[in-house]
Amino acid sequence: MGEKPMNVVIVGGSLAGLMNGIMMKRLGHNIHILEQNPSSIRSGHAAGIRAGPQAQEFFRKYDLLQQPYSLDCPGIQFINRDSKVKRFLKNPMCMTGWTTLYYRLRANYDGFASVYCPEPPTVTEKEGKAVYDLGKRVTNVSYQDGSVMVAFDDSINGGSGCLVADLVIAADGSSSAVRQLIMPELQRPYAGYVAWRGSVVEKDASEETKKIFDSKFTIFKMPRNYILVYIIPGLDGSLKPGERLLNFVWYYNCAEDSQEFADIMTDSDGHRHRNTLPPGGMCEKVWARQKAYAKSVLAAPFAELVEKTTEPFISSVSDAIAPRASFFDGKLLLVGDALALFRPHIALSANQAAMNALLLEKVLKKEMKLSEWEKQVLQYGNAQRLLSIVTGNFAQVGGLTFILSVVRYLLVLIGHRFDRLLSTTS
């Protein structure tokens, strides 16, 4: 990767794509993001996420807005069916929302104005060009004479096109089209349970419920499933009490071959979804049944949030990791969920995206070899993926399956530590 500005194509305009795009644009490279979605507006996507250490570092370094984007959470509390706190674990976290980060990153990448960021930062002369190209579905990637060709279909204008790039970043998420093209054998098997998600504006919850959930990451555990709640920024990114969102995730066992699974993954138009049924599409009868079940098994504050959620969405839980991160002589790189998909329990997807980008910056500045970047991102991705499996197995499965997942995780950590010791002594 030379010193002159590169023409970089990034496939996928979500958090990982934007983080890498911002980083490389600030280094003077020209960035062209190909995004499959036909619109820049992301409505109804109020999923909560955790801003881990690397995500926080990324925003300190690259966010020119320098305004709060997260809420401090002191730790995790476990409550019983009577809504009494059984245990509290001190574990400070920064909680935020996918939509909040998306619009913040868009403002920094290409100056996109929104209610979240109405006054984007000014672009400096030293920055490279930034293009956010909507409605582009990548159909092929190939390598010839030191350049990568990216072919795509255009869902907005019709027809197709092709870009030639010095470097391609595949940041197109858990269902990565690029990963499927270069590694069609890689699968993401269903873990045996789903994640029901939803949120309620804080002012719409009862005073008792707001008091219980105030600032804490709250968990209610049941046999073979559990639900959690934490507070995230509001629908316009607001951090004001009353305008924030009470965000829940309910992990629920459901066999893949069951009629129940078929029902909950089929939207109101009769279309069955493979991985995620988005907000606004859930069948009313399915959601009514789940709300009735929630009332019968959940502690009252959780049941209230489920009852008051108007646009739930659901994802089938899975995990995967690619055996490699670098292809085409280092000219095609996998990052974020396209590289390693974690089960959502640990909420570190955004952190992985930031970590990948921060390390890639070192490669571009010739402070790190690409082979070392690949080694570190694969080690991090595999360790966090295994940790997410441990967490899921503890809550949803238990027994020998859980024990074996712990052993696999510990063996990987030991192997990584031994590898670092060898590196420091050689």
Side-chain angles (χ1 to χ4, degrees):
M1 299 179 184
E3 295 180 358
K4 69 175 184 178
M6 293 187 295
N7 292 317
V8 181
V9 170
I10 297 178
V11 182
S14 187
L15 305 189
L18 288 166
M19 285 179 175
N20 281 276
I22 291 167
M23 177 272 293
M24 288 186 284
K25 186 188 76 157
R26 299 276 168 82
L27 293 178
H29 301 294
N30 300 314
I31 315 300
H32 193 131
I33 289 180
L34 296 175
E35 167 56 36
Q36 182 169 291
N37 198 305
S39 172
S40 287
I41 305 303
R42 301 291 188 269
S43 60
H45 201 339
I49 56 177
R50 177 156 62 109
Q54 283 82 9
Q56 293 176 53
E57 179 184 351
F58 182 92
F59 279 94
R60 282 194 299 268
K61 187 170 186 177
Y62 287 110
D63 181 16
L64 298 180
L65 295 171
Q66 292 299 314
Q67 297 170 353
Y69 60 88
S70 64
L71 295 158
D72 292 331
C73 171
I76 304 170
Q77 65 179 3
F78 298 83
I79 69 172
N80 61 20
R81 184 70 190 277
D82 296 324
S83 303
K84 305 297 182 182
V85 177
K86 299 194 303 181
R87 197 168 84 175
F88 175 78
L89 298 177
K90 186 177 180 181
N91 182 30
M93 296 178 284
C94 290
M95 313 308 296
T96 186
W98 184 94
T99 315
T100 299
L101 295 191
Y102 165 76
Y103 284 112
R104 178 68 60 96
L105 292 169
R106 280 298 303 271
N108 280 280
Y109 174 71
D110 64 341
F112 184 76
S114 66
V115 294
Y116 289 80
C117 302
E119 297 182 5
T122 303
V123 177
T124 66
E125 292 182 359
K126 295 182 180 180
E127 294 184 20
K129 296 179 181 178
V131 175
Y132 196 90
D133 205 352
L134 294 164
K136 304 301 184 291
R137 184 180 67 86
V138 170
T139 57
N140 193 40
V141 289
S142 58
Y143 184 51
Q144 185 177 350
D145 298 329
S147 297
V148 183
M149 277 67 72
V150 183
F152 58 85
D153 287 338
D154 188 338
S155 66
I156 296 177
N157 303 307
S160 59
C162 183
L163 294 175
V164 180
D166 300 310
L167 175 66
V168 171
I169 305 294
D172 48 344
S174 56
S175 299
S176 171
V178 176
R179 187 187 65 215
Q180 182 65 24
L181 287 167
I182 58 179
M183 290 182 291
E185 72 284 356
L186 186 64
Q187 302 295 318
R188 44 179 291 196
Y190 176 56
Y193 55 98
V194 299
W196 295 88
R197 295 176 179 268
S199 59
V200 174
V201 178
E202 197 172 17
K203 66 179 177 60
D204 295 333
S206 66
E207 291 301 321
E208 295 82 358
T209 291
K210 286 188 286 189
K211 183 177 180 180
I212 287 173
F213 292 139
D214 185 33
S215 79
K216 310 292 195 310
F217 188 107
T218 306
I219 294 176
F220 176 65
K221 181 75 174 69
M222 298 159 282
R224 298 293 184 265
N225 70 105
Y226 73 103
I227 187 170
L228 57 89
V229 169
Y230 54 91
I231 302 175
I232 63 173
L235 295 174
D236 59 355
S238 175
L239 304 179
K240 296 179 182 178
E243 298 178 0
R244 305 174 301 184
L245 296 176
L246 293 167
N247 168 80
F248 75 82
V249 185
W250 182 1
Y251 296 104
Y252 177 84
N253 284 4
C254 190
E256 187 173 17
D257 59 356
S258 67
Q259 185 60 48
E260 182 181 24
F261 183 78
D263 289 344
I264 63 179
M265 296 303 292
T266 301
D267 63 27
S268 55
D269 293 326
H271 174 69
R272 178 161 175 174
H273 295 257
R274 181 180 177 186
N275 298 309
T276 298
L277 196 160
M282 190 167 294
C283 178
E284 290 185 10
K285 288 183 178 180
V286 170
W287 184 232
R289 184 174 64 202
Q290 197 67 18
K291 287 194 292 185
Y293 180 64
K295 192 176 295 186
S296 69
V297 298
L298 299 182
F302 293 95
E304 178 185 339
L305 295 190
V306 173
E307 175 63 34
K308 291 181 176 179
T309 295
T310 57
E311 287 200 336
F313 59 107
I314 190 167
S315 299
S316 59
V317 176
S318 59
D319 61 87
I321 186 168
R324 298 169 54 193
S326 175
F327 303 83
F328 299 167
D329 296 330
K331 300 296 180 69
L332 170 62
L333 307 177
L334 296 182
V335 299
D337 289 348
L339 172 65
L341 173 63
F342 312 149
R343 298 188 189 182
H345 309 278
I346 59 175
L348 286 176
S349 177
N351 200 67
Q352 174 181 226
M355 180 261 198
N356 294 169
L358 291 169
L359 289 180
L360 184 57
E361 179 187 17
K362 293 184 177 182
V363 175
L364 297 175
K365 290 181 174 180
K366 297 186 177 180
E367 298 170 358
M368 175 186 286
K369 292 182 178 180
L370 183 61
S371 58
E372 180 62 22
W373 174 87
E374 181 175 36
K375 175 182 173 182
Q376 289 196 30
V377 298
L378 284 172
Q379 286 187 346
Y380 177 86
N382 193 37
Q384 300 307 316
R385 181 184 70 91
L386 291 174
L387 176 60
S388 74
I389 293 173
V390 168
T391 308
N393 286 344
F394 172 74
Q396 308 297 128
V397 184
L400 183 59
T401 300
F402 165 65
I403 294 171
L404 290 175
S405 64
V406 172
V407 171
R408 283 193 293 270
Y409 174 60
L410 293 176
L411 287 174
V412 165
L413 291 185
I414 293 169
H416 291 174
R417 184 172 180 81
F418 184 68
D419 183 71
R420 286 193 295 272
L421 288 174
L422 287 178
S423 299
T424 55
T425 55
S426 60

